[in-house]
């Protein structure tokens, strides 16, 4: 599985011209980065312009929204639907970011509805949590097959935008706790293959003051499958360095998933 590196540009940069320059520079820098999946999440208003600059289907960058609403269309002033994001070429959407919880008063119930709507539009939700309660409430009533489509981003609030990252050992403890919760229904399964498949399919990434120097610690030492990067994604040189360091540290493992190796078991 390739590590996932998600760039959350938040409400930056200030103009479309700057956004294009940043994107172009990242695009050129990561041209040869094949061992990672790079997802850029710009402000909604830049999505269309940036998306039109890439050549699909072989391009190495995917796009994501930074939020979405839970309805498909209608009288919801200021909102953007998952279907609209999909239509613009997004494959991902960040949901439950702590800044939206804090400034927009998003609740776990709202986030849960957004996750369900995103899945319906075939977007991969990147659910940001800082504790197990947010994980449980955010994923409430999701079917096992829906849970497996999520990416969980562990983002301790103290580490976001502060330059004070969570130490990898502590982050790893949380990753283990998340895996236990999200895979818990399958403990009852008598088949070791089912349990293995569940663990393999759940992607958990880390976010909070990640930079080119500490990025590999979260992948190699703490075992996260990727990173959510805020501040460092606005500096193209730093972001490219980060992506290159991660891919150097994790050459693609050509190990096939159990599903690929033994499809009859599933
Ligand atoms: C974020 O906002 O998701 C984030 C991880 O920010 P930063 O990297 O700046 O801490």
């Amino acid at each position: 599985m390739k590590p996932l590196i998600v760039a959350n540009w938040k409400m930056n940069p200030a103009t479309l011209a700057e956004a294009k320059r940043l994107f172009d520079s990242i695009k050129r820098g990561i041209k040869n980065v094949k061992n990672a999946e790079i997802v850029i999440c710009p402000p909604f208003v830049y999505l269309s312009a940036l998306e039109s600059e890439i050549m699909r289907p072989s391009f190495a960058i995917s796009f994501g929204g930074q939020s979405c609403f839970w309805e498909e269309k209608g009288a919801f002033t200021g909102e953007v639907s998952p279907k609209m994001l999909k239509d613009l070429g997004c494959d991902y959407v960040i949901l439950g970011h702590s800044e939206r919880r804090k400034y927009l008063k998003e609740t776990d119930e709202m986030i849960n509805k957004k996750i369900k709507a995103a899945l319906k539009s075939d977007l991969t939700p990147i659910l940001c949590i800082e504790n197990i309660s947010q994980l449980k409430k955010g994923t409430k009533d999701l079917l096992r097959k829906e849970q497996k489509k999520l990416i969980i981003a562990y983002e301790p609030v103290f580490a976001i935008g502060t330059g004070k990252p969570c130490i990898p050992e502590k982050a790893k403890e949380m990753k283990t706790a998340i895996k236990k919760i999200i895979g818990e229904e399958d403990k009852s399964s008598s088949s070791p293959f089912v349990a293995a498949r569940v663990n393999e399919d759940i992607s958990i990434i880390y976010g909070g003051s990640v930079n080119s120097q500490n990025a590999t610690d979260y992948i190699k030492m703490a075992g996260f499958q990727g990173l959510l990067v805020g501040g460092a994604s606005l500096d193209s040189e730093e972001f490219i360095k980060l992506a290159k360091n991660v891919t150097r540290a994790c050459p693609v493992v050509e190990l096939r998933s159990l599903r690929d190796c033994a499809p009859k078991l599933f």
Side-chain angles (χ1 to χ4, degrees):
M1 192 198 251
K2 289 183 187 181
L4 183 73
I5 304 176
V6 184
N8 177 13
W9 285 4
K10 311 192 186 193
M11 202 169 71
N12 298 294
T15 65
L16 176 60
E18 286 173 81
K20 281 186 172 172
R21 272 199 296 278
L22 175 60
F23 183 70
D24 270 355
S25 173
I26 292 176
K27 199 170 73 168
R28 271 184 272 114
I30 58 134
K31 214 168 44 206
N32 298 319
V33 173
K34 301 256 185 297
N35 297 353
E37 177 164 7
I38 312 281
V39 183
I40 307 276
C41 302
F44 293 136
V45 287
Y46 301 151
L47 268 169
S48 183
L50 301 184
E51 215 276 338
S52 66
E53 295 203 1
I54 65 169
M55 304 274 285
R56 288 194 186 272
S58 58
F59 199 70
I61 293 180
S62 307
F63 285 100
Q66 295 176 14
S67 177
C68 68
F69 196 58
W70 56 79
E71 296 289 347
E72 215 170 77
K73 61 181 175 138
F76 305 103
T77 303
E79 292 297 334
V80 168
S81 77
K83 197 171 177 188
M84 291 168 183
L85 290 179
K86 191 73 195 177
D87 187 52
L88 277 185
C90 288
D91 292 313
Y92 295 86
V93 60
I94 298 173
L95 294 173
H97 194 281
S98 60
E99 286 152 12
R100 294 197 61 86
R101 293 178 192 262
K102 181 177 172 191
Y103 299 117
L104 283 302
K105 305 286 174 246
E106 277 193 12
T107 63
D108 290 311
E109 290 67 34
M110 291 157 83
I111 294 158
N112 179 255
K113 286 202 275 185
K114 290 179 177 208
I115 290 175
K116 290 173 183 163
L119 287 169
K120 258 196 214 154
S121 288
D122 201 23
L123 288 173
T124 299
I126 301 170
L127 168 61
C128 300
I129 57 149
E130 76 153 344
N131 56 45
I132 294 297
S133 162
Q134 290 177 348
L135 174 69
K136 286 187 174 169
K137 290 179 183 161
T139 58
K140 192 166 173 265
D141 299 330
L142 289 189
L143 302 172
R144 158 67 54 213
K145 64 174 194 242
E146 291 171 328
Q147 281 188 2
K148 287 195 315 191
K149 290 182 185 158
L150 300 186
I151 290 164
I152 310 289
Y154 171 50
E155 293 221 304
V157 170
F158 71 82
I160 297 180
T162 58
K164 294 186 182 125
C166 179
I167 57 169
E169 292 78 4
K170 279 272 160 237
K172 187 177 179 180
E173 282 172 21
M174 188 61 181
K175 192 200 73 177
T176 308
I178 293 170
K179 212 152 231 192
K180 227 161 128 188
I181 296 292
I182 204 115
E184 90 188 343
E185 274 171 41
D186 281 56
K187 275 194 207 137
S188 57
S189 170
S190 56
S191 163
F193 295 109
V194 172
R197 189 186 62 187
V198 167
N199 280 338
E200 183 187 44
D201 285 348
I202 294 165
S203 289
I204 306 175
I205 64 176
Y206 169 79
S209 295
V210 175
N211 57 40
S212 62
Q213 298 307 303
N214 63 19
T216 56
D217 296 347
Y218 295 97
I219 310 277
K220 283 192 84 176
M221 283 164 54
F224 284 90
Q225 280 110 332
L227 302 162
L228 183 46
V229 186
S233 69
L234 294 170
D235 173 341
S236 58
E237 260 183 50
E238 172 67 1
F239 187 67
I240 293 160
K241 203 157 132 198
L242 184 156
K244 288 187 173 165
N245 285 350
V246 168
T247 53
R248 262 196 294 271
C250 343
V252 168
V253 184
E254 285 301 348
L255 215 145
R256 299 265 165 97
S257 73
L258 265 176
R259 192 194 301 267
D260 295 336
C261 296
K264 285 196 184 121
L265 291 170
F266 303 99

